Amino acid sequence: MTASAVGAGTTVAVCQVALAVGRPEENLARGLAALDRAAARGARVVVLPELLRSGYVFESAEEARALAEPLDGPTTAALTAAARRHGLVVAAGLAERADDGTLRNSAVLVDPTGVRTVYRKVHLWDRESEFFVPGDQPPQVVETDLGRLALVICYDLEFPEWVRLVGLAGADLVCAPTNWPGPRRGGGERPIEVVQVQAGAAANRMFVAACDRTGTERGVEWVAGSAIVGPDGYPLAEAEAGGAEQVLLADCRLAEARDKRVSARNHVHADRRPALYGPLTG
Amino acid sequence: MTASAVGAGTTVAVCQVALAVGRPEENLARGLAALDRAAARGARVVVLPELLRSGYVFESAEEARALAEPLDGPTTAALTAAARRHGLVVAAGLAERADDGTLRNSAVLVDPTGVRTVYRKVHLWDRESEFFVPGDQPPQVVETDLGRLALVICYDLEFPEWVRLVGLAGADLVCAPTNWPGPRRGGGERPIEVVQVQAGAAANRMFVAACDRTGTERGVEWVAGSAIVGPDGYPLAEAEAGGAEQVLLADCRLAEARDKRVSARNHVHADRRPALYGPLTG
């Protein structure tokens, strides 16, 4: 892979697209077209939404099963081809169907060599538990030419323990496919999900790229709150209010995430008092 | 204690004042005067800054020791008198000197019966470790007529594990005396410390009242970012930019913090996966 052409860092993109449950080919094509646009603008890491190909608002377990796919199915095949075509890394969600027929709300990180890691969402939102088996493994941190990348999915971001685990494991950039259900908070406020992304990034001095959806699906209005947040906790790019499809790009100096110092004597990880955190695991 | 006169909830106040290290009587009087103003406006819980009487920017361990006081010293005496006078609960920070001469960056929660709990800051900021021994106990959650209150201090808020522990212990309202060093982020952005307070409140569906300082002290400019945040993570009251001394008040229906549901099937605490959080305590 070649270095980013934009700035001295890595150009990270999130592709906030509109999807429709039950139209898998159309959804996948929509995500790939946005990825192509991001690549044309220099993106070296591209994040796409949760459950990209299937859509999200299933009517029944049967529908979810019919729209799910094996890990080596059409989504990863298409993402791998795109990663090769552009020489980049891509993260996206998929409804994963295991050989035993169980479904998981998964995400893959793909580079030109293929799937580098798969992550299964651990914290399930609302009706997801009717369709999916929750994951039971922490995200792996994957060493790439660009830096150390990891995956979490949507509601996982609202568990600061989980974001901390990824930070402690050494992630420079957390790629987070999401489908945040709205409505969006008005009054000029950021969606609270974005506030939580900001806090998680700052608490761990790492980058987080959250790719949300836009539009509505069977009555669910998506927040359309995609954001790329830097290690100081402030957005480097964020979706404009109004919810249009959009590709956000940010020049991320991912090496900055290796520096956890916040004062001459303070370090966001070394200052932790893990011996006192026992009740978190009880 | 009588119920709040404002709205159906409890009026919570934070008193953002300017203090000066080395002027203990003046500092304490300034805090008490602000408390009186808050009480006159109906406050039933009043939060004052970290290290209220001593000030913060010590030149030396000797100066810190000279400005510190025993737990039953002038600060708690004055706060207890004020709590009795107004029939309220007050939280404030003090430089605590133990019998063995060690100092701690502490906070007390005081009601008309006296000190209900003392908390010693666990996560020390910058030069504090030259002056203070860190605490090694979690905050206690104190049952009051108004609800369940707990204390944390300043940099503690930047450790989501610590805020989570307090949430899991059942706090309705976290009272957080702080001295956030600036400069304040411009561009219409909230201080990142406030963003972290927002995320902690939302992740635990509880109220957080953070009382910061204003002004400068020996070259340290305070953020002046005081805020009272509700369980949805949005500020109910926050300091105006510009850093004036100000009393913030918010009508807090503290009982709302007992409801941790965020969807028909989701609950911010029950949805945790503590068996997977082991690395947090390692």
Side-chain angles (χ1 to χ4, degrees), chain B residues 11-12 14 18 31 44-45 47 59 64-65 79 85 97 99 132 135 153 156 165 209 224 228 239 248 276:
Chain B
T11 302
V12 174
V14 301
R44 301 268 60 83
V45 180
V47 186
E59 277 180 336
R65 190 172 311 278
L79 296 179
R85 189 163 67 245
R97 190 176 60 235
D99 290 343
F132 298 114
I153 302 173
D156 285 327
L165 279 186
I228 303 170
L248 305 178
L276 302 179

Side-chain angles (χ1 to χ4, degrees), chain A residues 164-238:
Chain A
R164 178 70 99 190
L165 279 186
V166 180
L168 291 174
D172 300 321
L173 169 65
V174 178
C175 301
T178 76
N179 281 0
W180 287 324
R184 187 175 176 131
R185 170 95 175 198
E189 290 283 2
R190 291 191 174 113
I192 201 67
E193 296 89 344
V194 174
V195 172
Q196 289 178 313
V197 166
Q198 291 184 261
N204 296 286
R205 303 293 299 178
M206 63 186 179
F207 294 82
V208 182
C211 184
D212 196 16
R213 287 174 58 178
T214 185
T216 60
E217 191 180 78
R218 290 182 174 158
V220 174
E221 175 194 351
W222 304 107
V223 164
S226 301
I228 304 170
V229 175
D232 64 359
Y234 290 103
L236 297 163
E238 60 189 315

Side-chain angles (χ1 to χ4, degrees), chain B residues 106-175:
Chain B
S106 301
V108 287
L109 189 78
V110 172
D111 75 5
T113 69
V115 174
R116 293 295 306 277
T117 191
V118 55
Y119 167 72
R120 282 94 183 192
K121 189 176 185 178
V122 154
H123 304 90
L124 297 184
W125 177 257
D126 207 23
R127 289 190 65 199
E128 290 176 30
S129 53
E130 296 178 20
F131 312 128
F132 298 114
V133 173
D136 58 6
Q137 296 294 324
Q140 291 181 300
V141 174
V142 175
E143 191 86 47
T144 75
D145 292 347
L146 304 170
R148 297 179 194 143
L149 310 187
L151 298 166
V152 301
I153 302 173
C154 202
Y155 190 41
D156 285 327
L157 288 165
E158 299 182 36
F159 294 83
E161 299 94 332
W162 209 235
V163 176
R164 178 69 100 189
L165 279 186
V166 179
L168 291 173
D172 301 321
L173 169 64
V174 178
C175 300

Side-chain angles (χ1 to χ4, degrees), chain A residues 46-280:
Chain A
V46 176
V47 187
L48 293 162
E50 181 182 8
L51 297 178
L52 171 67
R53 182 170 169 274
S54 62
Y56 182 93
V57 187
F58 306 117
E59 276 179 336
S60 65
E62 292 65 36
E63 185 184 45
R65 189 171 313 277
L67 290 168
E69 59 187 289
L71 185 57
D72 60 355
T75 295
T76 53
L79 296 179
T80 303
R84 286 182 186 151
R85 189 163 65 247
H86 297 296
L88 51 69
V89 178
V90 54
L94 78 158
E96 179 191 2
R97 191 177 60 236
D99 289 344
D100 65 3
T102 55
L103 307 190
R104 288 175 179 78
N105 185 336
S106 301
V108 287
L109 189 78
V110 172
D111 75 6
T113 69
V115 174
R116 294 293 307 275
T117 189
V118 55
Y119 167 72
R120 283 94 183 191
K121 189 176 185 179
V122 154
H123 304 90
L124 297 183
W125 177 257
D126 207 22
R127 290 189 64 199
E128 289 174 29
S129 53
E130 297 178 20
F131 313 128
F132 298 114
V133 174
D136 58 7
Q137 297 295 324
Q140 291 181 298
V141 174
V142 176
E143 191 87 45
T144 75
D145 292 347
L146 304 170
R148 298 179 193 142
L149 311 186
L151 298 165
V152 301
I153 302 173
C154 201
Y155 189 42
D156 285 326
L157 288 166
E158 300 183 34
F159 294 83
E161 299 93 332
W162 208 236
V163 177
R164 178 70 99 190
L165 279 186
V166 180
L168 291 174
D172 300 321
L173 169 65
V174 178
C175 301
T178 76
N179 281 0
W180 287 324
R184 187 175 176 131
R185 170 95 175 198
E189 290 283 2
R190 291 191 174 113
I192 201 67
E193 296 89 344
V194 174
V195 172
Q196 289 178 313
V197 166
Q198 291 184 261
N204 296 286
R205 303 293 299 178
M206 63 186 179
F207 294 82
V208 182
C211 184
D212 196 16
R213 287 174 58 178
T214 185
T216 60
E217 191 180 78
R218 290 182 174 158
V220 174
E221 175 194 351
W222 304 107
V223 164
S226 301
I228 304 170
V229 175
D232 64 359
Y234 290 103
L236 297 163
E238 60 189 315
E240 297 158 26
E245 286 203 332
Q246 52 204 284
V247 173
L248 305 178
L249 295 116
D251 181 37
C252 300
R253 296 167 187 259
L254 296 180
E256 290 179 5
R258 304 283 168 100
D259 181 2
K260 307 298 186 189
R261 290 173 298 176
V262 284
S263 82
R265 292 170 181 77
N266 292 100
H267 180 289
V268 294
H269 286 164
D271 290 346
R272 298 174 67 248
R273 302 286 306 275
L276 302 180
Y277 301 159
L280 296 177

